[in-house]
Amino acid sequence: MRAARLIKMVLLLQNRPSMTAAELAAELEVSERTVTRDALALSEAGVPVYADRGRAGGYRLVGGYRTRLTGLARGEAEALFLSGLPGALRDMGLEDAASAARLKVSAALLPSLRDAHESAARRFHLDAPGWYQEPETPELLAPVAEAVWDDRWVSARYRRGDGEEVERELQPYGLVLKAGVWYVCARSGSSFRTYRVDRFTAVAVGEERFDRDPVFDLPSFWEERAAEFARSILRAEVVVRLTEAGARRLPYVTDRTAAEEALAAGTAEDGQARVVLRVESEEVAVGQLLGLGPEVEVLAPAALRERFAEAARGMAERYR
């Protein structure tokens, strides 16, 4: 365990000019005191780790030291080949580059590891699109992807949700493939926004490059915006009473976060759970909550309760 951590520490310092004790501790998932002990152990073993003192100090390797401990184990080699998603790479126009990279990596591996890509492909396949829909590659995905990889400005025409087309000057930072739909996260003016790639009607990739914000983190940005979107569409509230079975199934028929929040804040009533649930609309709530059958009773609003009563009467009539 410690040997693997020491190797990782050397590789981290090899790839960066300097790292603070706090940064190393975060990367290695240990305390700063452990980092200090590990740095001393490496120094005693002949690895030239130097500690700069002071507030701006940190650890660095002296004299351009390079380790040869870069051989890949089987698990690491298989994980590397898992990172190539053929469909996404093909859509972005990167299939040939990815194929060449895999060949180069395979040639560099030990003979016993050169079947790693086949081993991984036999054990894992990612099917990104959701069920019941045919994935379509946006016509302008390739130039958008080119701009993302080269950090180039883009002049684009974009069709908004209301159908109006607008012109935008964008700094495209990253692409996200969500359930078969491509999105680009880009800076427009002083703020970052998310655009559906299939809504671009024209894209011109400029020659000028932009300087990326080093603080921007694509996964964190996407997670935050996705959560904001999920919250923004839940504009209505319904009050329901749930049996124990209904409470267990509620997160599977409606928005999971909204269901969990409602159940956590709910109260007990006649041996059941009384909750206030946020939903997209009453119309959507009908389709979702009917899936719980007799395990749910709608208490409010009155119009929604009546719709459930009508549905129950119709069901009883059909099966009478």
Side-chain angles (χ1 to χ4, degrees):
M1 181 70 178
R2 191 190 186 199
R5 189 175 70 242
L6 293 174
I7 292 173
K8 184 176 180 180
M9 184 174 180
V10 173
L11 293 175
L12 285 169
L13 294 174
Q14 181 173 298
N15 288 316
R16 304 184 195 181
S18 177
M19 293 183 71
T20 66
E23 290 172 337
L24 283 168
E27 289 280 356
L28 300 171
E29 299 181 347
V30 296
S31 67
E32 293 185 31
R33 181 173 296 180
T34 299
V35 168
T36 301
R37 288 198 298 264
D38 286 352
L40 180 60
L42 287 170
S43 181
E44 291 175 348
V47 178
V49 177
Y50 181 79
D52 292 312
R53 305 299 179 184
R55 293 181 59 186
Y59 293 92
R60 58 186 174 86
L61 293 176
V62 179
Y65 176 85
R66 307 288 294 179
T67 177
R68 296 183 180 180
L69 298 173
T70 54
L72 296 178
R74 171 169 292 276
E76 294 168 334
E78 291 176 347
L80 172 64
F81 285 103
L82 289 180
S83 66
L85 307 178
L89 291 169
R90 181 179 60 250
D91 292 346
M92 290 187 290
L94 298 174
E95 187 174 25
D96 290 343
S99 177
R102 286 193 294 268
L103 286 173
K104 290 179 180 179
V105 172
S106 294
L109 294 174
L110 294 172
S112 61
L113 300 179
R114 287 177 184 167
D115 66 338
H117 67 291
E118 296 176 357
S119 174
R122 285 195 296 265
R123 290 166 170 80
F124 180 84
H125 173 69
L126 175 65
D127 186 8
W131 291 103
Y132 314 120
Q133 60 180 350
E134 187 67 26
E136 295 183 2
T137 301
E139 182 180 352
L140 297 174
L141 175 60
V144 172
E146 175 191 347
V148 168
W149 291 116
D150 289 345
D151 296 338
R152 294 187 183 274
W153 280 86
V154 164
S155 299
R157 288 188 61 81
Y158 185 75
R159 186 180 66 256
R160 301 194 308 194
D162 58 9
E164 180 185 358
E165 286 197 3
V166 295
E167 295 186 357
R168 293 286 184 265
E169 295 293 321
L170 302 174
Q171 297 177 352
Y173 269 61
L175 286 163
V176 175
L177 178 60
K178 170 70 172 179
V181 179
W182 285 94
Y183 299 85
V184 60
C185 302
R187 171 176 270 172
S188 176
S190 60
S191 61
F192 287 95
R193 299 178 182 274
T194 302
Y195 302 86
R196 281 184 60 141
V197 178
D198 59 3
R199 289 186 179 173
F200 285 115
T201 58
V203 170
V205 181
E207 294 296 324
E208 183 183 358
R209 285 187 167 87
F210 60 88
D211 294 325
R212 296 178 68 92
D213 184 346
V215 178
F216 179 82
D217 180 70
L218 180 60
S220 299
F221 173 81
W222 176 259
E223 182 179 3
E224 180 181 338
R225 290 303 170 92
E228 288 178 359
F229 173 76
R231 289 192 298 268
S232 70
I233 64 174
L234 302 178
R235 303 185 181 94
E237 286 186 347
V238 299
V239 183
V240 299
R241 188 157 45 217
L242 298 158
T243 65
E244 185 177 343
R248 286 198 305 269
R249 290 169 52 192
L250 184 64
Y252 298 97
V253 299
T254 186
D255 181 83
R256 176 176 291 273
T257 300
E260 291 174 347
E261 291 176 352
L263 291 169
T267 57
E269 185 175 281
D270 298 330
Q272 300 183 28
R274 186 181 190 277
V275 303
V276 179
L277 177 69
R278 291 183 298 120
V279 295
E280 186 174 344
S281 65
E282 291 186 16
E283 187 68 30
V284 171
V286 171
Q288 293 175 334
L289 297 178
L290 277 176
L292 296 179
E295 310 301 334
V296 62
E297 178 187 358
V298 175
L299 304 178
L304 183 60
R305 180 179 174 86
E306 180 55 31
R307 292 185 65 170
F308 270 75
E310 290 178 5
R313 286 192 292 269
M315 186 73 73
E317 179 66 24
R318 180 172 295 274
Y319 285 96
R320 187 176 58 183

